[in-house]
Amino acid sequence: MNHASKSACGATRNRCSAELGFFGSALPHELVRDFGTPLYVYNESVLRERCRELKGLSEDPGFRVCYSTKANGNPHLLRIIREEGLIADAMSPGELALLKRAGFRKEEICYVCNNVDAAELALANAQADHVSVDSVSQVESFGRVNPGGRVMARVNPGIGAGHSSKVITAGKKTKFGIPPEDFGALRAALDAYGLKLIGLNQHVGSLFMDPKPYLDAARWLLKTAASFPGLEIIDFGGGFGVPYRKYDMEKRLDLAEFGLRFGALISAFRAKQGFSGIFIIEPGRYIAAECSILLGTVTAVKNNGGVRYVGTDLGFNVLARPMIYDSFHDLEVYPGNDKPRALTLQTVVGNICETGDVLARDRQIPELVEGDIVGVLDAGAYGQAMSSNYNQRLRPAEALIRPDGSCSLIRRRDTIEDLLAVYPE
Ligand code: LLP
């Protein structure tokens, strides 16, 4: 569909998302009229394509792509991901409930948790195919809950990667994983409770565009796995990055090359160790990020200290990533009128009572005025999933564009009644 002109979208790459058909049969303004803003809009075809790309990484019959539900747990999206043949990981009872709602069966769910209590371990053990714990102390807790049971252990390969120190989850400066120096204690804890170690997993961190650290850590994991005979599952974790700077022509992760190198590692391991189990990767962002554009409305414009501030309803309660990690998201502009717009340096902010409530700083984009619609690209992973009711604002609605171009609501916006419902009278 080509509803919006190039200049209208303010695109500096070839074409903006509206022109590329992202919004199906609708214009951004029509979606906003029907559903209001803030609104996360998802495109089913893009979601399916990302699932297929990762499934195509290896032809090994025991290769599984396990979607990491924490990136986006909307059950309507989870249902599509399941239809594409992915399994899923959960890390909380809430995620388990959403996966069940979406139709995932026990044998399609991995539980990868951190610092949880006995009741949660028991629940996970009952509802997931396998549970991975990530300290000797949690192995002992699991053993008390389920003596003689089957368990996986998350190990720390000492190699981390990620877009921010806050999401690097291996190496010295992290709470995650069992380090090699604790492997003796791990074996002792397994023995003490008669547990069978069925698998090892790791997760080096979130967002790599250079596959080297992931592959180095994968090599380490396979070497480690060889010293734990009888494993059935080896899970390498997620972290597959997407290009957030599309308008700067940022390159995609080279999956073809990754697949070749990864494939060589796992087939060599099968051959050498006689391993007949399964290999898992655990991507969240790669599957969910690019299938969503977050729409918001410009509500006010002003100058302060020489900066043009564009006020919107996209506070960090709606999209927290820029505030928490200084993350960059490309913006598109869908103007409310036909007036020509000059490219202008602007800082786009939200409606939350903190100075750090900045969505995009110093962006050269078409001059925004009240009533314009702003689109935030690549918002599907850790967007809605990290939204909150801070300032007692309402978490946003979500809509899905189907492959036939139609659109439907897949999560309603919170209501004031939702906010009040948790307080006893
Ligand atoms: N497996 C485990 C054990 C994880 O902790 C994570 C993410 C994943 C898989 C999926 O990682 P992905 O493929 O999505 O990179 N809120 C941050 C990202 C936090 C990632 C947490 N763990 C952000 O907005 O960038």
Side-chain angles (χ1 to χ4, degrees), residues 320-332:
R321 303 192 69 255
M323 166 82 167
I324 298 183
Y325 315 109
D326 272 330
S327 295
F328 181 99
H329 285 259
D330 275 322
L331 293 189
E332 289 183 349

Side-chain angles (χ1 to χ4, degrees), residues 111-113 131-134 152-157 177-178 199-203 220-221 233-237 282:
Y111 205 77
V112 182
C113 56
V131 178
S132 167
V133 292
D134 92 330
M152 266 178 75
R154 175 168 174 174
V155 291
N156 182 339
I178 302 175
L200 293 181
N201 68 302
Q202 67 183 21
H203 173 67
W220 179 90
L221 185 62
I233 303 168
I234 299 176
D235 175 348
F236 301 94
E282 241 174 56

Side-chain angles (χ1 to χ4, degrees), residues 29-311:
H29 286 88
E30 292 166 344
L31 296 172
V32 170
R33 180 198 61 209
D34 293 347
F35 304 115
T37 58
L39 178 71
Y40 280 92
V41 183
Y42 299 88
N43 182 299
E44 177 176 336
S45 304
V46 177
L47 177 60
R48 288 189 186 276
E49 198 177 311
R50 295 296 172 263
C51 293
R52 288 171 196 176
E53 284 171 9
L54 290 191
K55 274 196 81 186
L57 273 179
S58 168
E59 288 180 355
D60 183 291
F63 173 67
R64 302 276 182 282
V65 182
C66 178
Y67 171 65
S68 197
T69 306
K70 58 183 78 59
N72 190 316
N74 187 305
H76 294 267
L77 304 179
L78 293 175
R79 205 166 286 139
I80 295 167
I81 290 167
R82 181 169 182 273
E83 277 172 18
E84 288 298 327
L86 274 61
I87 57 173
D89 90 49
M91 59 89 61
S92 68
E95 288 186 356
L96 276 177
L98 289 167
L99 286 169
K100 260 171 100 176
R101 165 77 73 91
F104 280 85
R105 296 191 308 267
K106 179 178 175 179
E107 58 273 24
E108 297 168 330
I109 301 175
C110 318
Y111 205 77
V112 182
C113 56
N114 177 242
N115 303 335
V116 304
D117 65 17
E120 185 169 328
L121 287 173
L123 180 85
N125 193 46
Q127 298 193 359
D129 180 72
H130 57 263
V131 178
S132 167
V133 292
D134 92 330
S135 61
V136 173
S137 127
Q138 289 266 276
V139 172
E140 290 167 347
S141 303
F142 186 89
R144 281 191 291 274
V145 167
N146 187 32
R150 295 151 59 82
V151 70
M152 266 178 75
R154 175 168 174 174
V155 291
N156 182 339
I159 302 166
H163 68 81
S164 148
S165 59
K166 292 179 179 142
V167 300
I168 295 176
T169 48
K172 292 258 182 265
K173 295 184 178 163
T174 177
K175 64 174 180 165
F176 293 104
I178 302 175
E181 54 271 28
D182 284 354
F183 285 175
L186 168 64
R187 291 179 204 273
L190 293 166
D191 283 350
Y193 293 93
L195 295 171
K196 175 166 166 46
L197 184 71
I198 57 162
L200 293 181
N201 68 302
Q202 67 183 21
H203 173 67
V204 293
S206 193
L207 205 162
F208 64 82
M209 298 304 279
D210 170 7
K212 187 173 182 319
Y214 190 94
L215 291 167
D216 286 348
R219 209 168 288 116
W220 179 90
L221 185 62
L222 291 171
K223 204 166 149 212
T224 303
S227 66
F228 286 93
L231 297 183
E232 299 163 21
I233 303 168
I234 299 176
D235 175 348
F236 301 94
F240 299 79
V242 299
Y244 280 98
R245 293 176 182 265
K246 293 188 167 48
Y247 280 89
D248 292 334
M249 304 295 175
E250 185 183 354
K251 283 210 180 75
R252 300 194 70 77
L253 186 61
D254 187 342
L255 285 183
E257 198 206 321
F258 178 89
L260 282 177
R261 292 167 63 189
F262 180 72
L265 283 180
I266 61 176
S267 54
F269 182 80
R270 275 214 194 284
K272 191 158 169 221
Q273 303 297 329
F275 179 71
S276 58
I278 65 170
F279 293 115
I280 294 179
I281 61 167
E282 241 174 56
R285 184 189 313 274
Y286 194 88
I287 300 290
E290 293 172 292
C291 68
S292 180
I293 295 181
L294 167 62
L295 297 180
T297 304
V298 176
T299 46
V301 180
K302 74 166 159 194
N303 286 301
N304 195 19
V307 175
R308 180 177 169 86
Y309 284 98
V310 176

